[in-house]
Amino acid sequence: MKKFITIVVIGVLLLSTGNAQKGSVLVAGSLALSSNNDNNSLNKTSNFAFNPTIGYQLNDSWTTGLVASIGSYKSETGTTTNLKSNQFVVGPFIRYTKSLSTTFSVYGQLQGLFGSSKRTFPTSESKTSLTSIQLIPAVFINLKNNFGLNFGFGGINYSSSTLDAPGAKSMTGFSIDFGSSFNFGISKNF
């Protein structure tokens, strides 16, 4: 059933791009970097995430395109690497935008992400297939010439992950999160 719903969502999003009108190209993204170093326990962690988006503005309200997420995480104690993780997911999105003024707009973005992650431990390695469907509300602030800031504040998320191993069962999750998480990005319409 999950595969059927995923195929339907992708089909609807791809069909909507076939009726594209002349418009602008949206380029957006966010970047996250963190590093923690505990000199008492010699524990170090580092995290990196890059989330690029490219889309085509169908008209004043609708935009469709591709979104991706590339990330890595590393945990060390002294000179020993405890965990190293890399993730790559990509998928289609469709966005509905409502302008409130020349400066402020609100939008809702429905996106599907599909990909994998690889985790490396000192004595083993695992790979996982990832699927996520998200509905994200956000605010756009137009700074100048369609260059602006995007502020997200949670959303609705369904996710599924399956370890690439014989007999592995999938893990699924569902969350509704409005106001307890926050993200920030930049965008430009060309």
Side-chain angles (χ1 to χ4, degrees):
M1 182 66 178
K2 289 185 299 186
K3 289 181 182 179
F4 175 74
I5 291 171
T6 303
I7 290 169
V8 169
V9 168
I10 291 172
V12 168
L13 294 177
L14 291 176
L15 286 175
S16 68
T17 63
N19 299 323
Q21 302 168 7
K22 289 186 180 179
S24 61
V25 173
L26 169 71
V27 177
S30 63
L31 177 68
L33 298 168
S34 69
S35 178
N36 296 303
N37 190 357
D38 182 348
N39 292 322
N40 294 314
S41 64
L42 300 177
N43 289 331
K44 293 186 222 177
T45 60
S46 59
N47 191 37
F48 166 80
F50 176 55
N51 304 300
T53 300
I54 187 161
Y56 182 76
Q57 185 123 4
L58 302 172
N59 56 40
D60 289 341
S61 298
W62 292 98
T63 306
T64 188
L66 290 174
V67 61
S69 180
I70 303 155
S72 69
Y73 173 83
K74 187 175 183 181
S75 172
E76 299 174 294
T77 302
T79 59
T80 304
T81 300
N82 302 322
L83 170 65
K84 188 175 180 183
S85 175
N86 293 303
Q87 173 181 306
F88 177 75
V89 291
V90 65
F93 79 88
I94 190 159
R95 176 186 291 186
Y96 180 78
T97 303
K98 177 68 176 164
S99 293
L100 303 176
S101 68
T102 57
T103 306
F104 293 98
S105 299
V106 293
Y107 66 85
Q109 180 166 306
L110 177 64
Q111 61 189 31
L113 297 169
F114 311 92
S116 63
S117 70
K118 178 182 173 183
R119 298 175 76 181
T120 305
F121 301 95
T123 59
S124 65
E125 182 176 283
S126 67
K127 294 181 182 178
T128 304
S129 298
L130 305 169
T131 301
S132 177
I133 298 173
Q134 303 168 336
L135 179 60
I136 303 165
V139 174
F140 172 74
I141 300 174
N142 185 11
L143 299 176
K144 186 174 182 182
N145 298 329
N146 290 319
F147 176 79
L149 305 175
N150 299 302
F151 296 95
F153 45 90
I156 299 172
N157 183 49
Y158 168 80
S159 62
S160 175
S161 62
T162 305
L163 186 64
D164 291 345
K169 295 183 180 179
S170 66
M171 296 186 307
T172 60
F174 177 78
S175 65
I176 299 175
D177 174 18
F178 293 106
S180 64
S181 68
F182 176 78
N183 62 48
F184 160 78
I186 60 172
S187 65
K188 171 70 175 153
N189 279 67
F190 294 95

